[in-house]
């Protein structure tokens, strides 16, 4: 399914075309794709908020098996089941790559954005940017772990949370519902603040010890908070209930509206910190996949056929997908 121009998803801009199988370079592998998750980022790409290189095959939560190895590959075997995530490549030479922050690489390339991704039967990737999928995780259920899961894991690491501390989650979508399972496993107390009653109920089921609306006051101050909401006002709500010296992590790529002025004395003093998160590193994925298999975190998925990609993304836009949407490939 190929995207040739920016357009509202309602106009069904993804078209089924026949492309030749890509040929792997010396350090690349050719992967026969089994499933690819659908993500809000694809809506941003299609509708022009995060313009991709065109034409493009979208999709960055890929699970498949290796069918051909490049001549100079060393890590995998034909038949290995691997995943491909948002980080398609980083230069390995810039100050960010050398400092362990390849997510900020000056030449960062996103899968399905700067290079063809997973809305297809096959794709190629550098072997260094593919991951073995733990046996315990089925294909479809593994796809959300490669994006919402790995990014949520990064959010949690960056929050600096420690065992026994209190964590507040503002908003409770695909990423947060994985984050709560990791935080509970690490022995943290989790409070969830969201407008949606349905999401509050799910949060309770997944172990939240208290739930409320974003402007409510949880029973204890928060050592760490993660804001998954697309609105600016949540930042003030979160800072108000953050403990002295606590850290607020902003997990979204863009806020829909500006963050309102913050009262320094009331909201920021006492060494409170605000930190945003951009992209992921390979280390995030490499650490998170085995952890997800161990806990285990098995996300709920709703499967679509590849040719239904426009419909799957429209449903995602309308909030009608139960769990995570996944495209399965024809044989
Ligand atoms: Zn994604
Ligand atoms: Zn770099």
């Amino acid at each position: 399914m190929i995207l040739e121009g920016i357009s509202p998803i309602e106009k069904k801009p993804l078209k089924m075309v026949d492309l030749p199988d890509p040929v792997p370079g010396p350090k690349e592998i050719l992967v026969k794709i089994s499933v690819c998750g659908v993500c809000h980022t694809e809506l941003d790409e299609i509708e022009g908020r995060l313009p991709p290189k065109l034409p493009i095959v979208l999709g960055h939560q890929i699970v498949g098996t290796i069918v051909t190895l490049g001549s100079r590959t060393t890590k995998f075997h034909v038949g290995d089941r691997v995943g491909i995530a948002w980080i398609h490549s980083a230069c390995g030479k810039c100050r960010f790559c050398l400092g362990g922050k390849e997510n900020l690489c000056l030449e960062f390339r996103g899968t399905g954005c700067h290079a063809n991704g997973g809305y297809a039967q096959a794709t190629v990737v550098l072997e260094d940017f593919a991951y073995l999928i733990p046996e315990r995780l089925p294909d479809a259920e593994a796809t959300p772990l490669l994006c919402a899961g790995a990014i949520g894991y990064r959010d949690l690491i960056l929050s600096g949370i420690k065992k026994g501390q209190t964590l507040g989650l503002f908003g409770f979508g695909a990423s947060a519902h994985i984050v709560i399972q990791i935080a509970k496993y690490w022995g943290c107390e989790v409070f969830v603040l969201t407008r949606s009653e349905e999401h509050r109920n799910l949060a309770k089921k997944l172990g939240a010890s208290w739930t409320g609306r974003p402007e409510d006051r949880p029973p204890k101050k928060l050592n760490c908070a993660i804001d998954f909401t697309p609105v600016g006002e949540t930042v003030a709500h979160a800072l108000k209930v953050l403990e002295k010296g606590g850290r607020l992590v902003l997990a979204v790529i863009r806020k829909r509206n500006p963050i309102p002025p913050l009262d320094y004395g009331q909201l920021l003093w006492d060494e409170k910190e605000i930190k945003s998160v951009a992209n992921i590193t390979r280390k995030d994925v490499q650490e998170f996949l085995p952890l997800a298999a161990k806990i285990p975190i098995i996300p709920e998925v709703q499967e679509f056929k590849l040719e239904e990609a426009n419909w799957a993304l429209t449903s995602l836009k309308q909030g009608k997908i139960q769990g995570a949407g996944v495209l399965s490939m024809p044989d």
Side-chain angles (χ1 to χ4, degrees):
M1 295 295 276
I2 201 164
L3 178 73
E4 291 181 314
I6 303 303
S7 150
I9 186 63
E10 291 78 7
K11 290 198 171 159
K12 304 187 172 63
L14 299 176
K15 301 274 181 279
M16 180 78 91
V17 295
D18 248 325
L19 296 174
D21 269 357
V23 178
K27 297 288 280 172
E28 289 180 329
I29 52 176
L30 175 65
V31 176
K32 180 178 184 289
I33 301 173
S34 148
V35 285
C36 181
V38 300
C39 177
H40 278 278
T41 301
E42 273 107 68
L43 285 171
D44 290 337
E45 292 180 75
I46 292 167
E47 300 186 336
R49 292 177 294 276
L50 186 71
K53 147 193 131 20
L54 292 170
I56 188 85
V57 178
L58 300 168
H60 57 263
Q61 309 168 70
I62 303 166
V63 175
T65 37
I66 299 178
V67 285
T68 309
L69 297 167
S71 57
R72 285 173 48 222
T73 55
T74 56
K75 291 173 80 173
F76 298 111
H77 300 102
V78 168
D80 280 349
R81 193 169 66 122
V82 293
I84 304 169
W86 172 243
I87 181 166
H88 196 265
S89 67
C91 77
K93 291 177 252 169
C94 72
R95 59 188 182 276
F96 296 106
C97 283
L98 294 175
K101 292 191 173 171
E102 62 184 7
N103 57 309
L104 303 179
C105 173
L106 299 171
E107 290 169 42
F108 184 94
R109 294 171 84 228
T111 308
C113 186
H114 309 105
N116 279 342
Y119 286 21
Q121 289 167 292
T123 195
V124 289
V125 69
L126 288 166
E127 67 169 351
D128 287 344
F129 290 82
Y131 318 89
L132 275 182
I133 301 287
E135 245 173 61
R136 187 169 190 181
L137 305 170
D139 287 5
E141 285 77 2
T143 60
L145 301 177
L146 290 162
C147 185
I151 288 175
Y153 175 76
R154 181 172 186 81
D155 298 336
L156 208 46
I157 296 290
L158 290 187
S159 79
I161 192 90
K162 295 184 181 67
K163 191 179 163 110
Q165 289 192 324
T166 52
L167 173 72
L169 303 179
F170 291 78
F172 200 69
S175 212
H177 103 277
I178 293 175
V179 166
I180 191 174
Q181 298 179 62
I182 310 169
K184 290 297 297 178
Y185 183 75
W186 284 350
C188 305
E189 186 171 13
V190 185
F191 306 130
V192 173
L193 303 93
T194 172
R195 287 189 198 297
S196 154
E197 196 187 338
E198 213 177 32
H199 286 171
R200 288 197 293 270
N201 291 337
L202 177 61
K204 284 221 179 91
K205 224 187 277 172
L206 291 175
S209 46
W210 173 93
T211 64
R213 298 171 61 83
E215 58 277 15
D216 290 345
R217 194 168 281 272
K220 289 183 197 166
K221 289 266 189 179
L222 309 173
N223 296 114
C224 300
I226 306 176
D227 176 9
F228 297 95
T229 73
V231 295
E233 290 75 13
T234 315
V235 173
H237 295 318
L239 289 171
K240 206 185 309 166
V241 294
L242 197 63
E243 179 60 287
K244 293 178 186 191
R247 183 181 291 171
L248 167 63
V249 170
L250 305 182
V252 290
I253 300 178
R254 298 283 180 270
K255 286 278 190 190
R256 220 182 278 150
N257 59 312
I259 297 170
L262 299 171
D263 184 305
Y264 176 74
Q266 279 185 14
L267 298 178
L268 279 166
W269 196 58
D270 284 325
E271 304 192 347
K272 292 180 186 177
E273 292 177 77
I274 302 180
K275 189 172 184 67
S276 70
V277 178
N279 303 321
I280 47 170
T281 65
R282 282 171 281 175
K283 187 165 168 272
D284 297 323
V285 187
Q286 283 156 356
E287 288 178 359
F288 175 63
L289 285 177
L291 176 65
K294 189 169 161 205
I295 293 177
I297 298 173
I298 310 285
E300 284 211 8
V301 295
Q302 185 178 340
E303 290 198 43
F304 298 84
K305 292 184 185 140
L306 174 63
E307 57 263 41
E308 296 170 331
N310 288 298
W311 179 45
L313 284 160
T314 308
S315 309
L316 179 68
K317 187 175 179 179
Q318 296 169 348
K320 286 185 184 156
I321 292 188
Q322 290 300 321
V326 176
L327 304 176
S328 24
M329 305 309 150
D331 275 331

